[in-house]
Amino acid sequence: MSERALVEAATKARLCARALYSNFQVGAAVLGKSGRVYTGSNVESSSYGLTLCAERLALCVALHEGEEEILEIAVVADTDGAPGPCGACRQMMYDFAPQARVTMENLRGDQRVVQVGELLPWGFGPGDLAAFNTRRSGDE
Ligand code: THU
């Protein structure tokens, strides 16, 4: 699976967005270690805060389908430059795809490629809770 094919899958997924309120459509595609690709688009609620972002949906579909490791993520939106994922999506990537490479591209092909760690430097993750629980069980 080439990076181009993953961006194309995200571009296609973007057309499924339910962005009735913002009209801002986002598509995401996730490549798992199994070779399978999972996609998502943003789904907005009339109660705005319930909105699901494309990246989190694609990630959760992959997890739900049993994918154990996420290798690549592509995000496509109609931004001026390459579209940076929101903070919540960065956190979910950090939790569930810490080693993944993220390709962000707008509709004109402006692209940026980074590692998940670069999107959330000094982030909070599963390791922090594991360390805390280990310390705490030592205290008891
Ligand atoms: N959105 C995403 O799907 N991903 C992001 O990383 C940024 C924001 C969506 C949420 C909402 O439906 C619309 O874009 C405007 O915020």
Side-chain angles (χ1 to χ4, degrees), residues 22 24 26 42 44 51 53-55 85-86:
S22 72
F24 184 73
V26 185
N42 51 326
E44 297 181 350
T51 290
C53 288
E55 300 92 313
C86 81

Side-chain angles (χ1 to χ4, degrees), residues 31-32 44 65 104 129:
L31 172 67
E44 297 181 350
E65 293 286 327
M104 299 153 284
L129 289 176

